[in-house]
Amino acid sequence: WKQNRDGSVTGRISGSSAFTNGDPVTTSPIVGKAVGGTVVKTKSGSRYFLSGGAPSGPTPAQIAAEKRAQQQAETKRKQEEAAAKKAAEAEARKQAALEKKRQQEEEAAKRAKKQAAQDSVKKAPKASTISLFGLGGGQSNDSPSESTPQKAPPKKQQPKQIKAPSAPRGVPTLSNWKLKGDGSITGRISGSPNFKNGELITTSEIVGGRIDSGSVVQTGSGSKYFLS
Protein backbone atom coordinates (compact mmCIF):
# COMPACT_ATOMS: atom_id res chain seq x y z
CA TRP A 1 0.00 0.00 0.00
CA LYS A 2 0.94 3.69 -0.28
CA GLN A 3 -0.57 6.94 0.96
CA ASN A 4 -1.57 9.50 -1.66
CA ARG A 5 -1.15 13.28 -1.47
CA ASP A 6 -4.81 13.80 -0.59
CA GLY A 7 -4.45 11.54 2.47
CA SER A 8 -6.13 8.51 0.90
CA VAL A 9 -4.46 5.08 0.76
CA THR A 10 -4.11 2.88 -2.33
CA GLY A 11 -3.37 -0.84 -2.03
CA ARG A 12 -4.62 -4.40 -2.57
CA ILE A 13 -7.42 -5.46 -0.24
CA SER A 14 -8.11 -8.80 1.42
CA GLY A 15 -10.59 -10.02 4.00
CA SER A 16 -13.44 -7.81 2.74
CA SER A 17 -16.94 -9.02 1.91
CA ALA A 18 -17.30 -6.22 -0.66
CA PHE A 19 -14.14 -6.99 -2.69
CA THR A 20 -12.23 -9.97 -4.00
CA ASN A 21 -8.92 -10.64 -2.28
CA GLY A 22 -6.17 -8.85 -4.16
CA ASP A 23 -8.44 -6.17 -5.73
CA PRO A 24 -6.73 -2.75 -5.95
CA VAL A 25 -8.71 -0.10 -4.00
CA THR A 26 -8.24 3.51 -2.97
CA THR A 27 -9.78 4.63 0.32
CA SER A 28 -11.15 8.02 1.18
CA PRO A 29 -8.72 10.31 3.12
CA ILE A 30 -7.34 8.79 6.33
CA VAL A 31 -7.88 10.45 9.71
CA GLY A 32 -4.42 10.88 11.18
CA LYS A 33 -1.16 9.33 9.94
CA ALA A 34 -1.00 6.07 7.99
CA VAL A 35 1.50 3.74 9.68
CA GLY A 36 2.20 0.12 8.73
CA GLY A 37 1.04 -2.50 11.24
CA THR A 38 -1.79 -0.30 12.55
CA VAL A 39 -5.52 0.10 12.00
CA VAL A 40 -6.48 3.39 10.29
CA LYS A 41 -9.88 5.02 9.97
CA THR A 42 -11.14 7.02 6.98
CA LYS A 43 -13.21 10.18 7.21
CA SER A 44 -16.22 8.15 6.05
CA GLY A 45 -15.80 5.78 9.03
CA SER A 46 -14.27 2.73 7.29
CA ARG A 47 -11.40 0.91 9.04
CA TYR A 48 -8.41 -0.84 7.45
CA PHE A 49 -5.37 -2.69 8.79
CA LEU A 50 -2.17 -1.59 7.03
CA SER A 51 0.23 -4.48 6.70
CA GLY A 52 3.96 -4.12 6.20
CA GLY A 53 6.24 -1.18 7.09
CA ALA A 54 6.14 2.51 6.31
CA PRO A 55 4.14 3.61 3.25
CA SER A 56 6.02 4.13 0.02
CA GLY A 57 6.16 7.60 -1.46
CA PRO A 58 5.51 8.56 -5.10
CA THR A 59 7.86 7.09 -7.68
CA PRO A 60 10.18 9.31 -9.78
CA ALA A 61 7.96 8.67 -12.79
CA GLN A 62 4.92 9.86 -10.85
CA ILE A 63 6.79 12.96 -9.69
CA ALA A 64 7.87 13.75 -13.27
CA ALA A 65 4.33 13.20 -14.58
CA GLU A 66 2.88 15.52 -11.94
CA LYS A 67 5.48 18.18 -12.79
CA ARG A 68 4.63 17.96 -16.49
CA ALA A 69 0.94 18.28 -15.69
CA GLN A 70 1.61 21.42 -13.62
CA GLN A 71 3.71 22.93 -16.43
CA GLN A 72 0.99 22.20 -18.98
CA ALA A 73 -1.64 23.78 -16.73
CA GLU A 74 0.53 26.89 -16.29
CA THR A 75 1.11 27.15 -20.04
CA LYS A 76 -2.61 26.83 -20.71
CA ARG A 77 -3.39 29.51 -18.11
CA LYS A 78 -0.94 31.94 -19.71
CA GLN A 79 -2.37 31.27 -23.17
CA GLU A 80 -5.91 31.92 -21.92
CA GLU A 81 -4.80 35.16 -20.25
CA ALA A 82 -3.08 36.31 -23.46
CA ALA A 83 -6.18 35.47 -25.54
CA ALA A 84 -8.43 37.36 -23.10
CA LYS A 85 -6.12 40.39 -23.19
CA LYS A 86 -6.05 40.33 -27.00
CA ALA A 87 -9.86 40.13 -27.15
CA ALA A 88 -10.20 43.05 -24.73
CA GLU A 89 -7.82 45.18 -26.79
CA ALA A 90 -9.73 44.34 -29.98
CA GLU A 91 -13.02 45.30 -28.33
CA ALA A 92 -11.52 48.58 -27.11
CA ARG A 93 -10.33 49.42 -30.63
CA LYS A 94 -13.76 48.56 -32.01
CA GLN A 95 -15.52 50.83 -29.52
CA ALA A 96 -13.06 53.66 -30.21
CA ALA A 97 -13.74 53.33 -33.95
CA LEU A 98 -17.51 53.39 -33.34
CA GLU A 99 -17.17 56.50 -31.16
CA LYS A 100 -15.04 58.25 -33.80
CA LYS A 101 -17.56 57.37 -36.49
CA ARG A 102 -20.42 58.67 -34.35
CA GLN A 103 -18.62 61.97 -33.81
CA GLN A 104 -17.89 62.30 -37.52
CA GLU A 105 -21.55 61.64 -38.39
CA GLU A 106 -22.66 64.17 -35.79
CA GLU A 107 -20.31 66.83 -37.21
CA ALA A 108 -21.50 66.05 -40.76
CA ALA A 109 -25.14 66.43 -39.66
CA LYS A 110 -24.38 69.80 -38.05
CA ARG A 111 -22.63 71.03 -41.21
CA ALA A 112 -25.56 69.86 -43.34
CA LYS A 113 -28.06 71.71 -41.14
CA LYS A 114 -25.96 74.89 -41.29
CA GLN A 115 -25.60 74.64 -45.08
CA ALA A 116 -29.34 74.08 -45.48
CA ALA A 117 -30.08 77.21 -43.45
CA GLN A 118 -27.63 79.27 -45.53
CA ASP A 119 -29.11 77.98 -48.82
CA SER A 120 -32.61 78.88 -47.63
CA VAL A 121 -31.52 82.46 -46.92
CA LYS A 122 -29.83 82.76 -50.33
CA LYS A 123 -32.98 81.55 -52.15
CA ALA A 124 -35.24 84.11 -50.43
CA PRO A 125 -36.22 86.90 -53.01
CA LYS A 126 -34.89 90.39 -52.30
CA ALA A 127 -37.14 93.56 -52.27
CA SER A 128 -37.86 94.85 -55.79
CA THR A 129 -36.77 98.39 -56.89
CA ILE A 130 -38.24 100.56 -59.69
CA SER A 131 -36.04 102.72 -61.93
CA LEU A 132 -37.38 106.25 -62.69
CA PHE A 133 -35.06 106.83 -65.64
CA GLY A 134 -36.75 106.85 -69.05
CA LEU A 135 -40.24 107.44 -67.58
CA GLY A 136 -40.24 111.25 -68.04
CA GLY A 137 -40.74 113.29 -71.31
CA GLY A 138 -42.74 112.44 -74.39
CA GLN A 139 -46.02 113.33 -72.67
CA SER A 140 -48.27 116.04 -74.26
CA ASN A 141 -49.33 119.07 -72.26
CA ASP A 142 -52.93 118.02 -72.83
CA SER A 143 -52.63 114.74 -70.98
CA PRO A 144 -52.33 114.91 -67.24
CA SER A 145 -49.16 113.63 -65.63
CA GLU A 146 -49.57 110.25 -64.01
CA SER A 147 -47.25 108.77 -61.43
CA THR A 148 -46.38 105.10 -61.73
CA PRO A 149 -47.62 103.26 -58.64
CA GLN A 150 -44.75 101.70 -56.65
CA LYS A 151 -45.13 98.04 -55.77
CA ALA A 152 -44.84 97.10 -52.14
CA PRO A 153 -41.68 95.04 -51.56
CA PRO A 154 -42.45 91.36 -51.04
CA LYS A 155 -42.02 89.96 -47.58
CA LYS A 156 -38.65 88.41 -47.00
CA GLN A 157 -38.97 84.68 -46.57
CA GLN A 158 -37.71 83.34 -43.30
CA PRO A 159 -35.29 80.41 -43.39
CA LYS A 160 -37.07 77.13 -43.01
CA GLN A 161 -36.64 75.72 -39.57
CA ILE A 162 -35.60 72.07 -39.52
CA LYS A 163 -37.84 70.25 -37.10
CA ALA A 164 -35.90 68.18 -34.62
CA PRO A 165 -36.85 64.50 -34.71
CA SER A 166 -38.96 63.21 -31.85
CA ALA A 167 -39.39 59.79 -30.27
CA PRO A 168 -41.88 57.41 -31.91
CA ARG A 169 -44.99 56.58 -29.91
CA GLY A 170 -44.26 54.14 -27.09
CA VAL A 171 -40.45 54.44 -27.32
CA PRO A 172 -38.70 55.93 -24.21
CA THR A 173 -36.22 58.80 -24.70
CA LEU A 174 -32.62 58.86 -23.43
CA SER A 175 -31.11 62.34 -22.96
CA ASN A 176 -27.59 63.33 -21.92
CA TRP A 177 -26.61 59.85 -23.07
CA LYS A 178 -23.12 58.39 -23.44
CA LEU A 179 -21.85 55.24 -25.17
CA LYS A 180 -19.86 52.97 -22.83
CA GLY A 181 -16.97 50.65 -23.66
CA ASP A 182 -19.09 47.50 -23.44
CA GLY A 183 -21.56 48.74 -26.05
CA SER A 184 -24.23 49.83 -23.55
CA ILE A 185 -25.59 53.40 -23.20
CA THR A 186 -25.98 55.43 -20.01
CA GLY A 187 -28.42 58.35 -19.90
CA ARG A 188 -31.48 59.90 -18.28
CA ILE A 189 -34.76 58.28 -19.33
CA SER A 190 -38.19 59.79 -19.92
CA GLY A 191 -41.45 58.45 -21.29
CA SER A 192 -41.01 54.99 -19.76
CA PRO A 193 -43.63 53.23 -17.61
CA ASN A 194 -40.85 51.42 -15.74
CA PHE A 195 -38.73 54.41 -14.65
CA LYS A 196 -39.21 57.93 -13.34
CA ASN A 197 -38.57 60.77 -15.77
CA GLY A 198 -34.97 61.94 -15.40
CA GLU A 199 -33.79 58.73 -13.75
CA LEU A 200 -30.24 57.67 -14.71
CA ILE A 201 -30.16 54.18 -16.28
CA THR A 202 -27.71 51.98 -18.21
CA THR A 203 -29.02 49.80 -21.05
CA SER A 204 -27.74 46.40 -22.09
CA GLU A 205 -25.50 46.13 -25.18
CA ILE A 206 -26.82 47.95 -28.29
CA VAL A 207 -27.18 45.60 -31.29
CA GLY A 208 -29.41 47.57 -33.69
CA GLY A 209 -29.91 51.10 -34.96
CA ARG A 210 -27.47 53.98 -35.53
CA ILE A 211 -25.94 55.29 -32.30
CA ASP A 212 -26.58 58.99 -32.96
CA SER A 213 -28.85 61.78 -31.77
CA GLY A 214 -32.32 61.52 -33.30
CA SER A 215 -32.06 57.77 -33.87
CA VAL A 216 -33.82 54.75 -32.35
CA VAL A 217 -31.54 51.97 -31.09
CA GLN A 218 -32.32 48.45 -29.92
CA THR A 219 -30.60 46.37 -27.20
CA GLY A 220 -29.81 42.68 -27.29
CA SER A 221 -32.82 42.05 -25.02
CA GLY A 222 -35.15 43.77 -27.51
CA SER A 223 -35.69 47.11 -25.72
CA LYS A 224 -35.83 50.26 -27.90
CA TYR A 225 -34.72 53.79 -26.98
CA PHE A 226 -34.80 57.13 -28.79
CA LEU A 227 -31.50 59.04 -28.43
CA SER A 228 -32.27 62.69 -27.84
Side-chain angles (χ1 to χ4, degrees):
W1 59 271
K2 66 177 181 179
Q3 188 169 16
N4 303 311
R5 292 181 179 272
D6 62 354
S8 63
V9 173
T10 297
R12 295 189 178 277
I13 196 169
S14 61
S16 171
S17 59
F19 299 93
T20 303
N21 289 343
D23 282 349
V25 298
T26 298
T27 70
S28 55
I30 299 298
V31 178
K33 187 176 181 181
V35 178
T38 63
V39 175
V40 295
K41 182 179 180 181
T42 66
K43 291 182 178 180
S44 62
S46 300
R47 293 176 179 271
Y48 299 93
F49 173 75
L50 303 179
S51 64
S56 60
T59 64
Q62 291 174 331
I63 295 174
E66 184 176 354
K67 186 175 181 180
R68 285 195 301 271
Q70 291 175 350
Q71 291 175 344
Q72 291 174 354
E74 180 65 16
T75 300
K76 183 178 180 182
R77 182 186 66 82
K78 290 181 179 180
Q79 290 175 345
E80 291 175 348
E81 288 180 353
K85 183 179 180 181
K86 186 176 181 181
E89 291 174 349
E91 181 65 21
R93 289 194 297 270
K94 177 182 177 182
Q95 293 302 325
L98 289 175
E99 178 64 16
K100 183 178 180 180
K101 181 179 179 182
R102 185 190 68 80
Q103 292 177 354
Q104 291 174 343
E105 291 176 347
E106 185 176 346
E107 289 297 326
K110 289 180 180 179
R111 289 195 297 269
K113 290 179 182 179
K114 184 177 179 180
Q115 186 63 41
Q118 292 175 349
D119 293 344
S120 178
V121 172
K122 290 179 181 179
K123 291 179 181 178
K126 297 181 179 180
S128 302
T129 57
I130 299 176
S131 175
L132 299 179
F133 294 100
L135 297 180
Q139 291 182 338
S140 65
N141 293 333
D142 295 337
S143 45
S145 175
E146 296 181 357
S147 61
T148 303
Q150 191 172 6
K151 295 182 180 180
K155 293 183 179 180
K156 188 175 181 180
Q157 295 182 357
Q158 297 295 329
K160 295 181 180 180
Q161 295 182 352
I162 301 175
K163 185 178 179 182
S166 58
R169 182 184 297 274
V171 177
T173 298
L174 284 179
S175 57
N176 299 327
W177 57 271
K178 180 175 68 174
L179 179 65
K180 300 182 70 177
D182 60 357
S184 63
I185 291 181
T186 296
R188 298 195 177 274
I189 195 168
S190 59
S192 171
N194 300 322
F195 301 95
K196 296 180 180 179
N197 287 343
E199 185 174 351
L200 185 66
I201 69 164
T202 298
T203 71
S204 54
E205 182 182 3
I206 301 300
V207 297
R210 190 178 61 156
I211 304 177
D212 194 6
S213 298
S215 299
V216 175
V217 296
Q218 182 172 345
T219 66
S221 60
S223 300
K224 293 184 177 181
Y225 301 94
F226 174 76
L227 303 180
S228 174

